[in-house]
Structure formats: C-alpha cells, structure tokens
Amino acid sequence: MRALQLVADRRLELVEVPEPPAPGPGQVEIAIKAVGLNHLDLWGFRGMAFAKRTLPLTVGVEAAGEILRAGSVDSRFRPGDPVVMYGALTCNACPACRAGRDNLCENPAGVMGFHIDGFARDRVVMDERLVIPVPAGVSLVDAACAPVAYATVEHMLFDNAKLEPGETILVQAGGSGIGTVAITMAKAIGCTVITTVGGDEKVEKAKALGADHVINYRTQRFATIARKLTGKQGVDVVFEHVGAETWNDSLLCLKRGGRLVTCGSTSGVSVEMNLMQLFQRQFRIIGSFGAPLSAIPRGLAKMASGMTPVIDTVVPLADFSRGLARLETRRVFGKIIATL
Ligand SMILES: [Zn+2]
C-alpha cells in the first residue's frame, strides 16, 4: 500500500510500505479517503528541532475514511461505515484521560502525523476508542476537517473562551482553515464577528461566510478599526493563532475583562508584552492545543446540520506538498484536502 512519508526536512515521498497487521480485539482497519492539511503539517514539514520523531515518518494529522473490518465480532462498526479518527494516542488511564480531558493526557504516545506515523496512507489500524462515526449526509472530504480544524475551534470557542450568544469576537486570519470555521461557528450562535484577512480578494469571501466586518490587515491597522467598531470598548473575545505579528494588537482589541484564546504562532513564537495592561485590564489569556475527543462528534453534528467547512482546494495525495506550499504562502481561503 501507499504512504506519503517525510524523508527529510521539506521532502515528501509517496512510497510503498507493508500492509498494517490485521486488527486485534477492540481495533478496526480503516481505508483512508481524505486527509485535511493543517499548520501542524507545515511545522513538521519544515523540520522542528524540538519534535521527537524518527524519519521517514508518514504524514497527515487529520483524516476521514471507511471501516474495512473490525477485530472484534461485537464491534460497534461495520465495513463501509464512514469514520474519523482521534490522532493523539492518549493513555486512556491517567486522571486527565479519565476526566475526558484527553488533550491534557499525562502519558501521550504522540500525535499521529507529527511525532509518529500519521494518516496519509491507504490503510491504518486503530483502537476503536479513538474512532468516531461520521453522521449521515456528511461527505468524507468535509469530515476530514473534523478531528483537528472543527474540534480545535469548538474547544477554543466554547470550552475555553466560553463564547456566548450576542458577544463580539475578533477572528484573526479569517481566511485560514480554522479562521473560516471560527467565523461560521461564532455566527451560528449570534455573535458579531470582526475578522482580519491578508488580501482584498478575501474580503468578500469572509463577508459571504457571515463576518460582519472584514479588515485587510495588510492595508489597515486592525486594532484601531476593531476599537472604533466597538465604540472604543473592545471585543469580548479574540481568536488568535497568528502569533508574534498580531499578539499585542490583538490584546489592544480586547475589552476590559476580555478573553484571548490562542492555538498557534504561525508568525513567530516570542513576544514582549505589557504586564500592567494584562492585569489592569483584567484580560484572560487561554492557551489551547488540540481538543478532547468529545469535541469531534460535536463538530460533526454541526456539519450534519449544514454548517459545512469552506474547502479551498482538493488535491490528490501525490500533490500534498503543493497544498503545503499554498498554506505557507497564506493564499488559502478555507481548508485544503488531499484525497486517496
Ligand atoms: Zn492519559
């Protein structure tokens, strides 16, 4: 079978690898059909000094597929069932896992596609507890956005930032994969959405998605405009993932007592910040990484109710690096999916 492997920094190869072993009790074999690209793939592709991993490594951190066979006769899955997978190999035993806070697992065996072999291959064998059924009516291309993009945003907005109907939110990089999901999810509960984009061609697209105000951050100072739009009060929540380039201006956009939730640092990992502003204005800054498994069915249910992802491009698996290049140049609007 085929696997797309990172063989050196910035070099991917589609190679033949051995079939996975037959699924054991409590396991299922899945035929992968669609892989969603994420910034995490880009970090891995560029080479990360801190990432403990051995090359070659099969890439792909989120995917959707179909059940081929189950290792147990009493499995809850049948051949042909559409599924997505939770790609962090949690221990299922520590206090965090037992409390359903999987992304705080104390003994994770790694993130598939980043530390250990991922989903960009024809077939994979997984523990059933990490496999989630896809509801009827959701395509596998859309479902491939559920494990990372939808679950991450669901967790950031609702578990962490506790976004409420009627609040105002600033979504940074509204054209990105998670940015488009954040706009859609915030609008669905009746929030006012201000978003930033990196080009005029993305302004209309973000408005069509429901954003109330769209700012081209390359030509306008977003913090000034966001403050003006909120009558100098500031927004309730900022959705951050851009990092160093926008961090301090994102804080400037917050109202007193506002919440900033972040899951990324695309433009750089270090910033200098004003601590007096932090405590005097009583900001809450929340780091968010991945999501508990329970966020995935919540995201899939939203897709089934019509809240489908914005797909920028669908490419064949062999063109995965072309997709990464598109992510890297920030030309995307929505998600890039590789199909098998
Ligand atoms: Zn654990």
Side-chain angles (χ1 to χ4, degrees), residues 90-94 97 105-107:
T90 51
C91 77
N92 201 28
C94 73
C97 280
C105 174
E106 292 165 19
N107 314 294

Side-chain angles (χ1 to χ4, degrees), residues 11-218:
R11 219 175 87 223
L12 287 170
E13 281 179 10
L14 194 55
V15 297
E16 281 295 317
V17 296
E19 293 287 333
Q27 292 187 315
V28 284
E29 184 176 8
I30 299 154
I32 304 291
K33 299 294 184 188
V35 178
L37 274 66
N38 286 280
H39 257 278
L40 194 54
D41 293 299
L42 204 49
W43 288 118
F45 180 70
R46 287 171 179 156
M48 295 288 281
F50 65 78
K52 280 185 195 157
R53 60 180 192 185
T54 323
L55 301 184
L57 175 93
T58 300
V59 298
V61 297
E62 73 173 338
E66 283 172 3
I67 298 288
L68 284 173
R69 55 179 170 157
S72 307
V73 282
D74 60 347
S75 170
R76 62 193 168 109
F77 295 107
R78 295 286 165 270
D81 283 356
V83 292
V84 295
M85 292 70 73
Y86 188 70
L89 300 188
T90 51
C91 77
N92 201 28
C94 73
C97 280
R98 286 204 303 269
R101 306 176 76 192
D102 318 78
N103 52 329
L104 289 169
C105 174
E106 292 165 19
N107 314 294
V111 172
M112 292 177 69
F114 190 69
H115 304 105
I116 50 177
D117 283 338
F119 296 109
R121 49 177 147 163
D122 284 317
R123 286 174 286 284
V124 65
V125 168
M126 299 278 299
D127 287 351
E128 276 195 27
R129 70 177 177 93
L130 301 173
V131 180
I132 302 107
V134 172
V138 177
S139 76
L140 288 179
V141 164
D142 287 353
C145 306
V148 176
Y150 267 55
T152 298
V153 176
E154 177 76 24
H155 186 52
M156 287 173 77
L157 293 184
F158 304 113
D159 301 336
N160 281 328
K162 307 212 183 293
L163 184 68
E164 293 286 342
E167 289 192 310
T168 300
I169 180 171
L170 173 76
V171 175
Q172 289 290 15
S176 63
I178 58 170
T180 51
V181 179
I183 293 172
T184 315
M185 285 187 179
K187 278 314 293 179
I189 64 160
C191 290
T192 299
V193 176
I194 304 171
T195 191
T196 64
V197 294
D200 285 337
E201 75 287 356
K202 293 184 184 176
V203 172
E204 286 313 312
K205 288 181 181 174
K207 281 190 179 155
L209 204 53
D212 299 280
H213 308 283
V214 186
I215 306 164
N216 180 344
Y217 67 82
R218 292 189 201 276

